[in-house]
Amino acid sequence: MIASVLSQVSLFFIPGIITIVVFYGIYKRAPVYDLFIDGAKEGLKTAMELLPFIIAIFIGIEALVSSGAMKFLEDLLGPFFQLIGIPKELISLILLRPVSGSGSLVLVERIITDYGPDSFVGRSASVMVGSCETIFYVLAVYFGVTSVKNIRHSFSAGMIGYIVGIFASLLACMYI
C-alpha cells in the first residue's frame, strides 16, 4: 500500500516541482523562460569544462583494466588484504572506487551477480559503493573546474576517510 502510494507520488514529483517553480516565477513577474535559457547555457558551459577531466578518468580506468594491471594488483595485494580481513573479491572495488563511481557500480553489479546480494561480499560491496567517496574523481573534477592548484590536506583527509569507510562497511555488514 505504502509502496504503491510512493510510486504514484514519485511519478508526479519532478513535474510538480518544475510546475511550482514556473508558477512562482510567473507570480514574481520574473522572465522565467529567459532565466531557464541562461541556466541551460551555464550548465552546458560547466559540462564542457568537466568533460576533459571525466574523459581522462575513464581512459585511465580502461587502461588499468584492459592492460591487466588491475588483475596484477589484485593478485599482488590479495594476501595482504586477506591478512587484514578483507575478502579478495572486494579488492578491485576498493582500488577502483576512489577513482570512478560509475566504474565501481559496474564492479558491484558483477560482484552481486556472482555472489548474490545477501552474501557478505555482496552486502559489503553495496555498502562500500554507497558510503565511500570517489576521492580522485572529486579532486580532479571539482578542483580542476575551480582551478585549485594546491589541494593541501584534501587528498590525505579523503584517503583516511575512505579507509575508515571500507572498514566500517565491512564491520557493519558482519552484523547485518
Side-chain angles (χ1 to χ4, degrees), residues 50-120:
L50 289 176
L51 199 55
F53 301 105
I54 293 172
I55 289 172
I57 288 171
F58 284 130
I59 288 173
I61 292 168
E62 189 59 35
L64 272 175
V65 173
S66 298
S67 67
M70 185 65 80
K71 180 73 177 147
F72 174 76
L73 286 173
E74 286 178 10
D75 293 340
L76 180 70
L77 298 173
F80 173 72
F81 275 66
Q82 288 181 334
L83 186 68
I84 58 175
I86 297 175
K88 185 177 181 181
E89 296 83 7
L90 296 174
I91 293 174
S92 59
L93 176 64
I94 291 170
L95 295 176
L96 189 58
R97 180 67 185 160
V99 178
S100 169
S102 304
S104 60
L105 283 175
V106 171
L107 288 177
V108 169
E109 187 271 336
R110 187 182 317 152
I111 289 170
I112 288 176
T113 301
D114 291 346
Y115 300 99
D118 293 329
S119 67
F120 175 70

Short mmCIF file of all heavy atoms in Angstrom, two decimals, residues 50-120:
data_model
loop_
_atom_site.label_atom_id
_atom_site.label_comp_id
_atom_site.label_asym_id
_atom_site.label_seq_id
_atom_site.Cartn_x
_atom_site.Cartn_y
_atom_site.Cartn_z
N LEU A 50 33.94 20.21 -17.55
CA LEU A 50 34.15 18.94 -16.84
C LEU A 50 34.56 17.81 -17.77
O LEU A 50 35.23 16.87 -17.35
CB LEU A 50 32.87 18.53 -16.12
CG LEU A 50 32.47 19.34 -14.91
CD1 LEU A 50 31.13 18.85 -14.39
CD2 LEU A 50 33.51 19.23 -13.83
N LEU A 51 34.17 17.88 -19.01
CA LEU A 51 34.34 16.76 -19.94
C LEU A 51 35.78 16.27 -20.06
O LEU A 51 36.01 15.05 -20.00
CB LEU A 51 33.77 17.14 -21.31
CG LEU A 51 33.45 15.99 -22.24
CD1 LEU A 51 32.51 15.01 -21.57
CD2 LEU A 51 32.86 16.51 -23.53
N PRO A 52 36.80 17.13 -20.23
CA PRO A 52 38.17 16.59 -20.33
C PRO A 52 38.61 15.80 -19.11
O PRO A 52 39.29 14.78 -19.23
CB PRO A 52 39.03 17.85 -20.50
CG PRO A 52 38.12 18.89 -20.97
CD PRO A 52 36.77 18.57 -20.42
N PHE A 53 38.21 16.24 -17.92
CA PHE A 53 38.60 15.53 -16.70
C PHE A 53 37.92 14.17 -16.64
O PHE A 53 38.53 13.17 -16.27
CB PHE A 53 38.23 16.35 -15.46
CG PHE A 53 38.90 17.70 -15.44
CD1 PHE A 53 38.18 18.84 -15.72
CD2 PHE A 53 40.25 17.80 -15.16
CE1 PHE A 53 38.80 20.07 -15.71
CE2 PHE A 53 40.87 19.03 -15.15
CZ PHE A 53 40.15 20.17 -15.42
N ILE A 54 36.66 14.12 -17.01
CA ILE A 54 35.93 12.85 -16.99
C ILE A 54 36.50 11.88 -18.02
O ILE A 54 36.68 10.69 -17.75
CB ILE A 54 34.43 13.10 -17.22
CG1 ILE A 54 33.86 13.87 -16.02
CG2 ILE A 54 33.68 11.80 -17.43
CD1 ILE A 54 32.44 14.36 -16.21
N ILE A 55 36.83 12.38 -19.20
CA ILE A 55 37.42 11.52 -20.23
C ILE A 55 38.76 10.98 -19.76
O ILE A 55 39.06 9.79 -19.95
CB ILE A 55 37.56 12.31 -21.55
CG1 ILE A 55 36.18 12.55 -22.16
CG2 ILE A 55 38.45 11.56 -22.54
CD1 ILE A 55 36.18 13.48 -23.35
N ALA A 56 39.57 11.81 -19.13
CA ALA A 56 40.87 11.35 -18.63
C ALA A 56 40.71 10.24 -17.60
O ALA A 56 41.45 9.25 -17.62
CB ALA A 56 41.64 12.52 -18.03
N ILE A 57 39.73 10.37 -16.72
CA ILE A 57 39.50 9.34 -15.70
C ILE A 57 39.06 8.03 -16.34
O ILE A 57 39.56 6.95 -16.02
CB ILE A 57 38.46 9.83 -14.68
CG1 ILE A 57 39.08 10.91 -13.79
CG2 ILE A 57 37.93 8.68 -13.82
CD1 ILE A 57 38.09 11.61 -12.89
N PHE A 58 38.14 8.10 -17.30
CA PHE A 58 37.66 6.88 -17.95
C PHE A 58 38.77 6.20 -18.75
O PHE A 58 38.85 4.97 -18.77
CB PHE A 58 36.46 7.16 -18.83
CG PHE A 58 35.20 7.37 -18.05
CD1 PHE A 58 34.40 8.47 -18.27
CD2 PHE A 58 34.81 6.47 -17.07
CE1 PHE A 58 33.25 8.67 -17.54
CE2 PHE A 58 33.66 6.66 -16.33
CZ PHE A 58 32.88 7.76 -16.57
N ILE A 59 39.61 6.97 -19.40
CA ILE A 59 40.72 6.39 -20.15
C ILE A 59 41.69 5.69 -19.19
O ILE A 59 42.17 4.60 -19.47
CB ILE A 59 41.43 7.46 -21.00
CG1 ILE A 59 40.52 7.86 -22.17
CG2 ILE A 59 42.77 6.96 -21.52
CD1 ILE A 59 41.03 9.03 -22.98
N GLY A 60 41.95 6.32 -18.06
CA GLY A 60 42.84 5.71 -17.08
C GLY A 60 42.31 4.40 -16.54
O GLY A 60 43.04 3.42 -16.41
N ILE A 61 41.01 4.36 -16.24
CA ILE A 61 40.39 3.13 -15.73
C ILE A 61 40.45 2.03 -16.79
O ILE A 61 40.82 0.89 -16.50
CB ILE A 61 38.94 3.40 -15.31
CG1 ILE A 61 38.91 4.29 -14.09
CG2 ILE A 61 38.20 2.09 -15.04
CD1 ILE A 61 37.55 4.83 -13.78
N GLU A 62 40.09 2.38 -17.99
CA GLU A 62 40.09 1.39 -19.07
C GLU A 62 41.50 0.87 -19.32
O GLU A 62 41.68 -0.32 -19.58
CB GLU A 62 39.49 1.99 -20.34
CG GLU A 62 39.24 0.98 -21.44
CD GLU A 62 38.30 -0.14 -21.02
OE1 GLU A 62 37.37 0.11 -20.25
OE2 GLU A 62 38.53 -1.28 -21.47
N ALA A 63 42.49 1.74 -19.22
CA ALA A 63 43.87 1.31 -19.41
C ALA A 63 44.29 0.33 -18.31
O ALA A 63 44.96 -0.67 -18.58
CB ALA A 63 44.80 2.52 -19.41
N LEU A 64 43.87 0.60 -17.08
CA LEU A 64 44.20 -0.30 -15.97
C LEU A 64 43.57 -1.68 -16.16
O LEU A 64 44.22 -2.71 -15.99
CB LEU A 64 43.70 0.28 -14.65
CG LEU A 64 44.63 1.21 -13.89
CD1 LEU A 64 43.92 1.77 -12.67
CD2 LEU A 64 45.89 0.48 -13.48
N VAL A 65 42.31 -1.70 -16.53
CA VAL A 65 41.59 -2.97 -16.66
C VAL A 65 42.05 -3.72 -17.90
O VAL A 65 42.35 -4.92 -17.85
CB VAL A 65 40.07 -2.71 -16.70
CG1 VAL A 65 39.31 -4.00 -17.01
CG2 VAL A 65 39.60 -2.13 -15.37
N SER A 66 42.14 -3.04 -19.03
CA SER A 66 42.49 -3.70 -20.29
C SER A 66 43.92 -4.21 -20.32
O SER A 66 44.20 -5.23 -20.94
CB SER A 66 42.27 -2.74 -21.47
OG SER A 66 40.93 -2.37 -21.56
N SER A 67 44.81 -3.50 -19.67
CA SER A 67 46.21 -3.93 -19.70
C SER A 67 46.48 -5.10 -18.77
O SER A 67 47.55 -5.70 -18.83
CB SER A 67 47.11 -2.75 -19.31
OG SER A 67 46.90 -2.41 -17.95
N GLY A 68 45.54 -5.39 -17.89
CA GLY A 68 45.76 -6.47 -16.93
C GLY A 68 46.41 -5.98 -15.65
O GLY A 68 46.69 -6.78 -14.75
N ALA A 69 46.65 -4.67 -15.56
CA ALA A 69 47.27 -4.13 -14.36
C ALA A 69 46.36 -4.31 -13.14
O ALA A 69 46.86 -4.56 -12.03
CB ALA A 69 47.60 -2.64 -14.56
N MET A 70 45.05 -4.22 -13.33
CA MET A 70 44.13 -4.41 -12.21
C MET A 70 44.20 -5.83 -11.69
O MET A 70 44.24 -6.07 -10.49
CB MET A 70 42.70 -4.07 -12.65
CG MET A 70 41.69 -4.11 -11.52
SD MET A 70 41.96 -2.87 -10.26
CE MET A 70 41.25 -1.45 -11.03
N LYS A 71 44.25 -6.80 -12.60
CA LYS A 71 44.36 -8.21 -12.20
C LYS A 71 45.69 -8.45 -11.48
O LYS A 71 45.75 -9.16 -10.48
CB LYS A 71 44.24 -9.10 -13.44
CG LYS A 71 44.35 -10.56 -13.16
CD LYS A 71 43.12 -11.07 -12.48
CE LYS A 71 43.25 -12.58 -12.28
NZ LYS A 71 42.62 -13.01 -11.08
N PHE A 72 46.76 -7.82 -12.00
CA PHE A 72 48.06 -7.94 -11.36
C PHE A 72 48.02 -7.39 -9.94
O PHE A 72 48.54 -8.00 -9.00
CB PHE A 72 49.12 -7.21 -12.19
CG PHE A 72 50.46 -7.15 -11.54
CD1 PHE A 72 51.29 -8.28 -11.53
CD2 PHE A 72 50.91 -5.99 -10.94
CE1 PHE A 72 52.53 -8.23 -10.91
CE2 PHE A 72 52.15 -5.93 -10.32
CZ PHE A 72 52.96 -7.05 -10.31
N LEU A 73 47.39 -6.21 -9.77
CA LEU A 73 47.28 -5.61 -8.44
C LEU A 73 46.46 -6.47 -7.50
O LEU A 73 46.77 -6.59 -6.32
CB LEU A 73 46.67 -4.20 -8.55
CG LEU A 73 47.58 -3.12 -9.10
CD1 LEU A 73 46.80 -1.83 -9.32
CD2 LEU A 73 48.76 -2.89 -8.18
N GLU A 74 45.39 -7.08 -8.02
CA GLU A 74 44.58 -7.98 -7.19
C GLU A 74 45.40 -9.16 -6.69
O GLU A 74 45.32 -9.52 -5.52
CB GLU A 74 43.37 -8.48 -7.98
CG GLU A 74 42.30 -7.47 -8.19
CD GLU A 74 41.16 -8.03 -9.03
OE1 GLU A 74 41.14 -9.24 -9.30
OE2 GLU A 74 40.31 -7.22 -9.42
N ASP A 75 46.16 -9.75 -7.61
CA ASP A 75 47.00 -10.90 -7.22
C ASP A 75 48.10 -10.48 -6.26
O ASP A 75 48.44 -11.21 -5.33
CB ASP A 75 47.60 -11.56 -8.46
CG ASP A 75 46.54 -12.22 -9.32
OD1 ASP A 75 45.43 -12.50 -8.80
OD2 ASP A 75 46.81 -12.43 -10.52
N LEU A 76 48.67 -9.30 -6.49
CA LEU A 76 49.76 -8.82 -5.64
C LEU A 76 49.27 -8.48 -4.24
O LEU A 76 49.90 -8.82 -3.24
CB LEU A 76 50.40 -7.59 -6.29
CG LEU A 76 51.57 -6.96 -5.55
CD1 LEU A 76 52.79 -7.89 -5.62
CD2 LEU A 76 51.91 -5.60 -6.14
N LEU A 77 48.11 -7.78 -4.17
CA LEU A 77 47.61 -7.29 -2.89
C LEU A 77 46.70 -8.29 -2.16
O LEU A 77 46.36 -8.07 -1.00
CB LEU A 77 46.87 -5.97 -3.09
CG LEU A 77 47.70 -4.82 -3.65
CD1 LEU A 77 46.82 -3.63 -3.95
CD2 LEU A 77 48.81 -4.44 -2.68
N GLY A 78 46.31 -9.34 -2.85
CA GLY A 78 45.37 -10.31 -2.29
C GLY A 78 45.78 -10.86 -0.93
O GLY A 78 44.98 -10.82 0.02
N PRO A 79 47.01 -11.35 -0.78
CA PRO A 79 47.40 -11.90 0.54
C PRO A 79 47.36 -10.85 1.66
O PRO A 79 46.94 -11.16 2.78
CB PRO A 79 48.84 -12.38 0.30
CG PRO A 79 48.92 -12.62 -1.17
CD PRO A 79 48.01 -11.62 -1.81
N PHE A 80 47.77 -9.62 1.35
CA PHE A 80 47.73 -8.56 2.37
C PHE A 80 46.29 -8.25 2.78
O PHE A 80 45.97 -8.12 3.96
CB PHE A 80 48.43 -7.30 1.85
CG PHE A 80 48.27 -6.13 2.77
CD1 PHE A 80 48.94 -6.07 3.98
CD2 PHE A 80 47.41 -5.08 2.43
CE1 PHE A 80 48.78 -4.99 4.84
CE2 PHE A 80 47.25 -4.00 3.29
CZ PHE A 80 47.93 -3.95 4.48
N PHE A 81 45.41 -8.12 1.79
CA PHE A 81 44.01 -7.81 2.09
C PHE A 81 43.36 -8.93 2.89
O PHE A 81 42.59 -8.67 3.81
CB PHE A 81 43.23 -7.54 0.79
CG PHE A 81 43.35 -6.13 0.30
CD1 PHE A 81 44.55 -5.62 -0.13
CD2 PHE A 81 42.24 -5.29 0.27
CE1 PHE A 81 44.66 -4.32 -0.57
CE2 PHE A 81 42.34 -3.98 -0.16
CZ PHE A 81 43.56 -3.49 -0.59
N GLN A 82 43.67 -10.17 2.55
CA GLN A 82 43.10 -11.29 3.31
C GLN A 82 43.66 -11.34 4.72
O GLN A 82 42.96 -11.74 5.65
CB GLN A 82 43.35 -12.60 2.56
CG GLN A 82 42.48 -12.71 1.32
CD GLN A 82 42.68 -14.02 0.58
OE1 GLN A 82 43.74 -14.63 0.67
NE2 GLN A 82 41.66 -14.45 -0.14
N LEU A 83 44.90 -10.89 4.87
CA LEU A 83 45.50 -10.86 6.21
C LEU A 83 44.77 -9.88 7.13
O LEU A 83 44.61 -10.14 8.32
CB LEU A 83 46.98 -10.47 6.09
CG LEU A 83 47.80 -10.51 7.37
CD1 LEU A 83 47.98 -11.95 7.85
CD2 LEU A 83 49.15 -9.86 7.14
N ILE A 84 44.29 -8.77 6.58
CA ILE A 84 43.58 -7.79 7.41
C ILE A 84 42.06 -7.98 7.35
O ILE A 84 41.31 -7.12 7.81
CB ILE A 84 43.96 -6.35 7.02
CG1 ILE A 84 43.66 -6.05 5.54
CG2 ILE A 84 45.40 -6.07 7.35
CD1 ILE A 84 43.91 -4.62 5.14
N GLY A 85 41.61 -9.10 6.78
CA GLY A 85 40.21 -9.46 6.85
C GLY A 85 39.33 -8.96 5.74
O GLY A 85 38.10 -8.95 5.86
N ILE A 86 39.94 -8.53 4.64
CA ILE A 86 39.14 -8.05 3.50
C ILE A 86 39.09 -9.15 2.46
O ILE A 86 40.14 -9.64 2.01
CB ILE A 86 39.75 -6.76 2.91
CG1 ILE A 86 39.72 -5.65 3.96
CG2 ILE A 86 39.01 -6.35 1.64
CD1 ILE A 86 40.39 -4.37 3.53
N PRO A 87 37.89 -9.58 2.05
CA PRO A 87 37.79 -10.64 1.04
C PRO A 87 38.45 -10.24 -0.27
O PRO A 87 38.38 -9.08 -0.69
CB PRO A 87 36.28 -10.81 0.86
CG PRO A 87 35.67 -10.22 2.07
CD PRO A 87 36.59 -9.16 2.54
N LYS A 88 39.07 -11.20 -0.92
CA LYS A 88 39.77 -10.95 -2.18
C LYS A 88 38.84 -10.42 -3.26
O LYS A 88 39.25 -9.66 -4.12
CB LYS A 88 40.45 -12.25 -2.65
CG LYS A 88 41.29 -12.09 -3.86
CD LYS A 88 41.98 -13.39 -4.23
CE LYS A 88 42.84 -13.18 -5.47
NZ LYS A 88 43.51 -14.39 -5.89
N GLU A 89 37.56 -10.80 -3.18
CA GLU A 89 36.59 -10.39 -4.20
C GLU A 89 36.34 -8.89 -4.19
O GLU A 89 35.82 -8.33 -5.15
CB GLU A 89 35.26 -11.11 -3.97
CG GLU A 89 35.34 -12.61 -4.11
CD GLU A 89 35.83 -13.30 -2.85
OE1 GLU A 89 35.99 -12.63 -1.81
OE2 GLU A 89 36.08 -14.52 -2.91
N LEU A 90 36.71 -8.22 -3.11
CA LEU A 90 36.45 -6.78 -3.00
C LEU A 90 37.64 -5.92 -3.38
O LEU A 90 37.54 -4.69 -3.38
CB LEU A 90 36.01 -6.45 -1.57
CG LEU A 90 34.69 -7.07 -1.11
CD1 LEU A 90 34.46 -6.78 0.36
CD2 LEU A 90 33.54 -6.53 -1.94
N ILE A 91 38.77 -6.53 -3.71
CA ILE A 91 39.99 -5.75 -3.96
C ILE A 91 39.82 -4.80 -5.14
O ILE A 91 40.15 -3.62 -5.05
CB ILE A 91 41.20 -6.69 -4.18
CG1 ILE A 91 41.52 -7.41 -2.88
CG2 ILE A 91 42.40 -5.90 -4.67
CD1 ILE A 91 42.60 -8.46 -3.02
N SER A 92 39.29 -5.29 -6.24
CA SER A 92 39.15 -4.42 -7.41
C SER A 92 38.20 -3.26 -7.11
O SER A 92 38.43 -2.13 -7.55
CB SER A 92 38.68 -5.21 -8.63
OG SER A 92 37.44 -5.83 -8.36
N LEU A 93 37.14 -3.52 -6.34
CA LEU A 93 36.23 -2.44 -5.97
C LEU A 93 36.92 -1.42 -5.08
O LEU A 93 36.79 -0.21 -5.28
CB LEU A 93 35.00 -3.01 -5.26
CG LEU A 93 34.00 -1.98 -4.73
CD1 LEU A 93 33.38 -1.20 -5.87
CD2 LEU A 93 32.94 -2.65 -3.90
N ILE A 94 37.71 -1.90 -4.13
CA ILE A 94 38.41 -0.98 -3.22
C ILE A 94 39.43 -0.15 -3.99
O ILE A 94 39.61 1.03 -3.70
CB ILE A 94 39.08 -1.79 -2.09
CG1 ILE A 94 37.99 -2.36 -1.17
CG2 ILE A 94 40.06 -0.95 -1.30
CD1 ILE A 94 38.50 -3.36 -0.17
N LEU A 95 40.07 -0.74 -4.99
CA LEU A 95 41.05 0.01 -5.77
C LEU A 95 40.38 0.98 -6.74
O LEU A 95 40.92 2.05 -7.01
CB LEU A 95 41.95 -0.95 -6.56
CG LEU A 95 42.84 -1.85 -5.72
CD1 LEU A 95 43.60 -2.81 -6.63
CD2 LEU A 95 43.82 -1.02 -4.90
N LEU A 96 39.21 0.64 -7.25
CA LEU A 96 38.57 1.47 -8.28
C LEU A 96 37.65 2.54 -7.70
O LEU A 96 37.48 3.60 -8.31
CB LEU A 96 37.79 0.58 -9.24
CG LEU A 96 37.24 1.25 -10.49
CD1 LEU A 96 38.36 1.87 -11.30
CD2 LEU A 96 36.47 0.27 -11.33
N ARG A 97 37.05 2.28 -6.55
CA ARG A 97 36.07 3.23 -6.01
C ARG A 97 36.61 4.65 -5.83
O ARG A 97 35.90 5.60 -6.13
CB ARG A 97 35.50 2.69 -4.69
CG ARG A 97 34.48 3.59 -4.05
CD ARG A 97 33.23 3.68 -4.88
NE ARG A 97 32.31 4.64 -4.28
CZ ARG A 97 31.34 5.22 -4.92
NH1 ARG A 97 31.12 4.93 -6.19
NH2 ARG A 97 30.56 6.08 -4.35
N PRO A 98 37.84 4.85 -5.35
CA PRO A 98 38.30 6.23 -5.22
C PRO A 98 38.47 6.95 -6.54
O PRO A 98 38.53 8.16 -6.60
CB PRO A 98 39.67 6.10 -4.53
CG PRO A 98 39.74 4.75 -4.01
CD PRO A 98 38.81 3.91 -4.81
N VAL A 99 38.52 6.19 -7.64
CA VAL A 99 38.76 6.79 -8.95
C VAL A 99 37.46 7.07 -9.69
O VAL A 99 37.28 8.13 -10.29
CB VAL A 99 39.67 5.88 -9.80
CG1 VAL A 99 39.89 6.46 -11.16
CG2 VAL A 99 40.99 5.65 -9.09
N SER A 100 36.54 6.12 -9.67
CA SER A 100 35.35 6.25 -10.51
C SER A 100 34.11 5.67 -9.83
O SER A 100 34.11 4.50 -9.45
CB SER A 100 35.59 5.52 -11.83
OG SER A 100 34.39 5.41 -12.56
N GLY A 101 33.08 6.46 -9.73
CA GLY A 101 31.81 5.99 -9.20
C GLY A 101 31.11 5.07 -10.18
O GLY A 101 30.58 4.02 -9.80
N SER A 102 31.13 5.43 -11.47
CA SER A 102 30.46 4.60 -12.47
C SER A 102 31.16 3.26 -12.64
O SER A 102 30.50 2.22 -12.73
CB SER A 102 30.44 5.34 -13.83
OG SER A 102 29.82 6.57 -13.70
N GLY A 103 32.49 3.29 -12.68
CA GLY A 103 33.24 2.05 -12.81
C GLY A 103 33.02 1.14 -11.62
O GLY A 103 32.89 -0.08 -11.77
N SER A 104 32.93 1.72 -10.44
CA SER A 104 32.71 0.89 -9.25
C SER A 104 31.30 0.32 -9.22
O SER A 104 31.09 -0.77 -8.71
CB SER A 104 33.02 1.66 -7.98
OG SER A 104 32.20 2.80 -7.88
N LEU A 105 30.34 1.04 -9.78
CA LEU A 105 28.98 0.49 -9.88
C LEU A 105 28.96 -0.74 -10.76
O LEU A 105 28.24 -1.71 -10.49
CB LEU A 105 28.01 1.54 -10.40
CG LEU A 105 27.56 2.59 -9.41
CD1 LEU A 105 26.68 3.63 -10.10
CD2 LEU A 105 26.82 1.97 -8.25
N VAL A 106 29.74 -0.72 -11.83
CA VAL A 106 29.82 -1.90 -12.71
C VAL A 106 30.42 -3.08 -11.94
O VAL A 106 29.94 -4.21 -12.05
CB VAL A 106 30.66 -1.57 -13.97
CG1 VAL A 106 30.95 -2.82 -14.78
CG2 VAL A 106 29.95 -0.52 -14.81
N LEU A 107 31.45 -2.81 -11.14
CA LEU A 107 32.06 -3.89 -10.36
C LEU A 107 31.10 -4.43 -9.32
O LEU A 107 31.05 -5.64 -9.08
CB LEU A 107 33.33 -3.39 -9.68
CG LEU A 107 34.52 -3.15 -10.60
CD1 LEU A 107 35.69 -2.58 -9.81
CD2 LEU A 107 34.92 -4.44 -11.29
N VAL A 108 30.33 -3.55 -8.68
CA VAL A 108 29.34 -4.01 -7.69
C VAL A 108 28.29 -4.89 -8.36
O VAL A 108 27.89 -5.92 -7.82
CB VAL A 108 28.69 -2.81 -6.97
CG1 VAL A 108 27.49 -3.25 -6.16
CG2 VAL A 108 29.69 -2.12 -6.09
N GLU A 109 27.86 -4.49 -9.53
CA GLU A 109 26.87 -5.30 -10.26
C GLU A 109 27.44 -6.69 -10.54
O GLU A 109 26.75 -7.70 -10.37
CB GLU A 109 26.48 -4.59 -11.56
CG GLU A 109 25.35 -5.26 -12.31
CD GLU A 109 25.81 -6.30 -13.29
OE1 GLU A 109 26.97 -6.24 -13.75
OE2 GLU A 109 25.01 -7.20 -13.59
N ARG A 110 28.72 -6.75 -10.91
CA ARG A 110 29.36 -8.04 -11.19
C ARG A 110 29.48 -8.86 -9.90
O ARG A 110 29.22 -10.07 -9.89
CB ARG A 110 30.73 -7.82 -11.82
CG ARG A 110 31.35 -9.12 -12.27
CD ARG A 110 32.72 -8.97 -12.86
NE ARG A 110 32.85 -7.84 -13.77
CZ ARG A 110 33.98 -7.18 -13.98
NH1 ARG A 110 35.08 -7.54 -13.37
NH2 ARG A 110 34.03 -6.18 -14.82
N ILE A 111 29.86 -8.21 -8.81
CA ILE A 111 30.01 -8.91 -7.53
C ILE A 111 28.66 -9.47 -7.07
O ILE A 111 28.56 -10.62 -6.64
CB ILE A 111 30.62 -7.97 -6.46
CG1 ILE A 111 32.09 -7.71 -6.77
CG2 ILE A 111 30.46 -8.54 -5.06
CD1 ILE A 111 32.72 -6.61 -5.94
N ILE A 112 27.62 -8.66 -7.18
CA ILE A 112 26.30 -9.12 -6.75
C ILE A 112 25.79 -10.25 -7.64
O ILE A 112 25.17 -11.19 -7.16
CB ILE A 112 25.32 -7.93 -6.70
CG1 ILE A 112 25.69 -7.03 -5.51
CG2 ILE A 112 23.87 -8.40 -6.59
CD1 ILE A 112 24.89 -5.78 -5.39
N THR A 113 26.07 -10.16 -8.93
CA THR A 113 25.67 -11.25 -9.83
C THR A 113 26.40 -12.54 -9.48
O THR A 113 25.80 -13.61 -9.46
CB THR A 113 25.97 -10.86 -11.29
OG1 THR A 113 25.25 -9.67 -11.61
CG2 THR A 113 25.58 -11.97 -12.25
N ASP A 114 27.69 -12.44 -9.18
CA ASP A 114 28.49 -13.63 -8.90
C ASP A 114 28.22 -14.22 -7.52
O ASP A 114 28.18 -15.44 -7.36
CB ASP A 114 29.98 -13.32 -9.02
CG ASP A 114 30.41 -13.04 -10.46
OD1 ASP A 114 29.63 -13.35 -11.39
OD2 ASP A 114 31.51 -12.50 -10.65
N TYR A 115 28.06 -13.37 -6.51
CA TYR A 115 27.99 -13.87 -5.13
C TYR A 115 26.62 -13.70 -4.48
O TYR A 115 26.39 -14.22 -3.40
CB TYR A 115 29.05 -13.18 -4.28
CG TYR A 115 30.44 -13.44 -4.80
CD1 TYR A 115 31.08 -12.48 -5.57
CD2 TYR A 115 31.08 -14.63 -4.55
CE1 TYR A 115 32.35 -12.71 -6.08
CE2 TYR A 115 32.34 -14.89 -5.05
CZ TYR A 115 32.97 -13.92 -5.82
OH TYR A 115 34.21 -14.17 -6.32
N GLY A 116 25.74 -12.92 -5.10
CA GLY A 116 24.40 -12.72 -4.55
C GLY A 116 24.32 -11.50 -3.66
O GLY A 116 25.30 -11.14 -2.99
N PRO A 117 23.15 -10.87 -3.61
CA PRO A 117 23.00 -9.65 -2.82
C PRO A 117 22.99 -9.91 -1.32
O PRO A 117 23.25 -9.00 -0.53
CB PRO A 117 21.66 -9.08 -3.28
CG PRO A 117 20.92 -10.25 -3.84
CD PRO A 117 21.96 -11.18 -4.38
N ASP A 118 22.70 -11.13 -0.90
CA ASP A 118 22.64 -11.43 0.52
C ASP A 118 23.94 -12.00 1.07
O ASP A 118 24.03 -12.28 2.27
CB ASP A 118 21.50 -12.41 0.80
CG ASP A 118 20.15 -11.78 0.54
OD1 ASP A 118 20.04 -10.55 0.72
OD2 ASP A 118 19.23 -12.50 0.16
N SER A 119 24.93 -12.18 0.21
CA SER A 119 26.22 -12.69 0.69
C SER A 119 26.98 -11.57 1.39
O SER A 119 26.69 -10.38 1.21
CB SER A 119 27.05 -13.21 -0.50
OG SER A 119 27.41 -12.14 -1.34
N PHE A 120 27.96 -11.94 2.19
CA PHE A 120 28.77 -10.93 2.88
C PHE A 120 29.48 -10.03 1.88
O PHE A 120 29.53 -8.81 2.05
CB PHE A 120 29.78 -11.61 3.80
CG PHE A 120 30.73 -10.67 4.45
CD1 PHE A 120 30.28 -9.79 5.43
CD2 PHE A 120 32.06 -10.62 4.07
CE1 PHE A 120 31.15 -8.89 6.03
CE2 PHE A 120 32.94 -9.73 4.66
CZ PHE A 120 32.48 -8.87 5.64
#
